[in-house]
Amino acid sequence: MKKSTSAPNALSLPVEEKMLLHGIIANGKEQYSETIDILSERAFEVFENKILYGACKTLFESNQDINVTSVLSTAISMGLVKDNLDEIFAVPAPKITEARSLASKLKSRLVIKESVGLHRTAIDKLSQMSATENINQIFSVSEAALFDLIAKFSSSQDDIITLGTVARDNVKFWGDNPSEN
């Protein structure tokens, strides 16, 4: 039985995709540059939006203007079957200062989806075990999924937590708060 919540589904963000694209197309390179270190085409769920973001990327990398005409022309050459951007412009464009938070939301959705997939694979591997494996082999299946996820999405800009700091803090806490186990 699945638990249901009233929270919006993090895997369904088509409006946010359109809003971000609207902002990029309306504001050009300035808004695109706010998302370049966070997003790739993979972060977009809707196929047409992937192509449109890819078109913006192509234009940015070739130092061309990002505007309605250039994005549409580039996107059509990349396989977009629509010949207008009415759907994109039907939603409000975010301010340039809001682009990063929208991009982060789309990246978080991608991380959630990838995490679900990696965990499902780990669950499949665990369910095929025969109970003759040692504890380390069992834990390593889950651990591998987590390390794969971290490696896939961490970057030099993410906060790095060093093990020495965490261990030192824990030892200090245990020293300050002794208890019997």
Side-chain angles (χ1 to χ4, degrees), residues 28 34 38-39 72 92 119 124 137 147 149 153 157 174 177:
E34 289 293 319
I38 300 172
L39 289 181
L72 190 55
H119 283 82
D124 289 345
Q137 290 170 314
F147 286 142
L149 185 67
F153 289 102
Q157 297 171 349
W174 292 327
N177 302 292

Side-chain angles (χ1 to χ4, degrees), residues 72-90:
L72 190 55
S73 172
T74 304
I76 288 172
S77 71
M78 295 171 74
L80 186 71
V81 294
K82 298 178 181 180
D83 62 354
N84 64 57
L85 299 176
D86 293 345
E87 270 188 44
I88 299 298
F89 291 114

Side-chain angles (χ1 to χ4, degrees), residues 35-46:
T35 68
I36 196 168
D37 62 324
I38 300 172
L39 289 181
S40 71
E41 296 91 334
R42 288 181 2 170
F44 290 84
E45 183 70 22
V46 178

Side-chain angles (χ1 to χ4, degrees), residues 6-18:
S6 60
N9 183 349
L11 301 180
S12 180
L13 300 171
V15 172
E16 286 84 349
E17 288 184 12
K18 290 176 189 174

Side-chain angles (χ1 to χ4, degrees), residues 4-174:
S4 156
T5 66
S6 60
N9 183 349
L11 301 180
S12 180
L13 300 171
V15 172
E16 286 84 349
E17 288 184 12
K18 290 176 189 174
M19 287 175 65
L20 186 62
L21 288 168
H22 185 174
I24 291 170
I25 294 167
N27 297 311
K29 292 179 183 178
E30 188 177 359
Q31 188 141 356
Y32 177 80
S33 64
E34 289 293 319
T35 68
I36 196 168
D37 62 324
I38 300 172
L39 289 181
S40 71
E41 296 91 334
R42 288 181 2 170
F44 290 84
E45 183 70 22
V46 178
F47 179 72
E48 289 84 7
N49 296 346
K50 287 178 190 257
I51 292 176
L52 288 169
Y53 191 79
C56 294
K57 177 181 177 184
T58 299
L59 291 166
F60 184 84
E61 289 174 348
S62 61
N63 202 25
Q64 296 179 40
D65 286 338
I66 296 175
N67 57 46
V68 175
T69 307
S70 61
V71 169
L72 190 55
S73 172
T74 304
I76 288 172
S77 71
M78 295 171 74
L80 186 71
V81 294
K82 298 178 181 180
D83 62 354
N84 64 57
L85 299 176
D86 293 345
E87 270 188 44
I88 299 298
F89 291 114
V91 297
K95 297 175 187 164
I96 291 175
T97 56
E98 298 169 334
R100 288 191 73 75
S101 65
L102 276 173
S104 293
K105 203 172 189 182
L106 295 180
K107 182 178 180 183
S108 292
R109 176 190 55 193
L110 180 61
V111 172
I112 290 167
K113 288 176 68 177
E114 292 281 337
S115 181
V116 167
L118 289 170
H119 283 82
R120 284 189 178 137
T121 301
I123 289 168
D124 289 345
K125 287 179 183 176
L126 288 168
S127 64
Q128 294 172 7
M129 290 186 157
S130 63
T132 59
E133 293 82 359
N134 65 41
I135 297 295
N136 287 338
Q137 290 170 314
I138 295 168
F139 286 156
S140 72
V141 173
S142 297
E143 191 176 56
L146 182 59
F147 286 142
D148 288 347
L149 185 67
I150 291 168
K152 203 172 212 177
F153 289 102
S154 62
S155 68
S156 60
Q157 297 171 349
D158 293 330
D159 292 337
I160 303 288
I161 300 171
T162 59
L163 186 57
T165 305
V166 173
R168 211 173 294 113
D169 292 345
N170 282 338
V171 169
K172 183 176 178 345
F173 174 80
W174 292 327

